[in-house]
Amino acid sequence: MAEITMPAAEVNEGVYTDEVKSYEFAFHILPTVAEGEVPDVQSKIKAHITNAGGAIFDEEAPERFDLVYPIVRHLEGKNRKFTSAYFGWIRFRLPSEKLEAMRTELGDETDILRSLLLRLTKIEEGNPFRFHEHRKSLKMVEVVDGEAEPMKEVLTEAETPAIVEEEALTESLERITHESEKSVEEKVIDEKAV
């Protein structure tokens, strides 16, 4: 049988030395940006990503919400405190060797209050957490006469509490109380024996 040799793989210049990885860029846009200009800021962020060679595959448009705690940022010569911001995220694929240049460009964006760049695992890549959808699905509180009261839930038939007769309830309470007293007496006797 003749021996077949395979040629060595050639290295092509211009081919990435690193594999393409998935990232998420989560950001808060300053609340001082007019609501109509927020999509423009998001477009600038997307342009930075695509100019660096990134391919965007998912995103959540920024929406305004109240922050859990205030964020202080030095702007226009003084420290300013912000209690709300527009939050959004963009997911993209990019060779890791181009990441630092893109990060530097995004860091120069003046309309971003704060940001976070994460590398995604395969599981995270396939299961994005949609913050604004989740926030809207939570049960809200209804304000009545200045005091907050939880909204009444509609219970299904299986969740409807059972009606207990007073006599049965009294019997159960007496039995529990009696067992509890008996248990305390046994402990006291055991402690005296020691």
Side-chain angles (χ1 to χ4, degrees):
M1 219 159 68
E3 188 174 314
I4 300 173
T5 58
M6 299 297 290
E10 294 179 21
V11 177
N12 296 330
E13 292 200 21
V15 173
Y16 302 123
T17 57
D18 237 351
E19 69 179 74
V20 176
K21 296 181 178 144
S22 298
Y23 299 93
E24 178 177 290
F25 183 72
F27 54 90
H28 286 115
I29 296 174
L30 289 167
T32 55
V33 173
E35 192 169 344
E37 295 175 11
V38 171
D40 296 338
V41 175
Q42 182 184 14
S43 294
K44 282 191 222 174
I45 294 169
K46 290 164 71 171
H48 286 302
I49 293 169
T50 54
N51 290 342
I56 296 170
F57 65 89
D58 200 0
E59 65 184 285
E60 184 173 37
E63 290 183 25
R64 191 172 186 148
F65 78 107
D66 292 330
L67 299 171
V68 174
Y69 57 89
I71 297 174
V72 177
R73 175 143 182 230
H74 190 77
L75 288 174
E76 300 166 354
K78 52 183 160 177
N79 289 335
R80 298 190 54 199
K81 189 184 290 187
F82 297 98
T83 57
S84 67
Y86 297 94
F87 174 72
W89 52 260
I90 299 172
R91 289 179 166 209
F92 58 96
R93 291 182 183 88
L94 179 77
S96 58
E97 61 196 26
K98 296 189 174 199
L99 186 64
E100 197 55 43
M102 186 207 64
R103 182 183 286 178
T104 303
E105 282 186 31
L106 286 170
D108 295 337
E109 193 61 50
T110 57
D111 291 327
I112 296 178
L113 174 62
R114 157 171 91 170
S115 64
L116 179 65
L117 182 64
L118 302 167
R119 183 169 166 227
L120 300 173
T121 64
K122 292 289 182 193
I123 294 172
E124 291 169 333
E125 187 178 330
N127 299 299
F129 178 72
R130 305 219 177 261
F131 176 75
H132 299 300
E133 287 177 18
H134 174 72
R135 195 169 57 96
K136 290 173 185 172
S137 72
L138 296 175
K139 294 182 179 159
M140 298 308 220
V141 174
E142 184 177 334
V143 177
V144 179
D145 297 330
E147 290 187 31
E149 292 183 13
M151 291 182 72
K152 295 177 180 158
E153 295 182 33
V154 177
L155 301 175
T156 63
E157 189 174 316
E159 296 173 325
T160 306
I163 298 172
V164 180
E165 293 183 22
E166 190 174 338
E167 195 173 302
L169 181 61
T170 305
E171 260 179 47
S172 293
L173 287 173
E174 285 177 5
R175 189 179 77 250
I176 292 169
T177 307
H178 180 66
E179 289 173 4
S180 174
E181 288 173 355
K182 192 175 183 181
S183 173
V184 170
E185 288 174 11
E186 289 172 357
K187 282 185 179 180
V188 171
I189 292 171
D190 287 342
E191 288 175 5
K192 287 181 181 177
V194 175

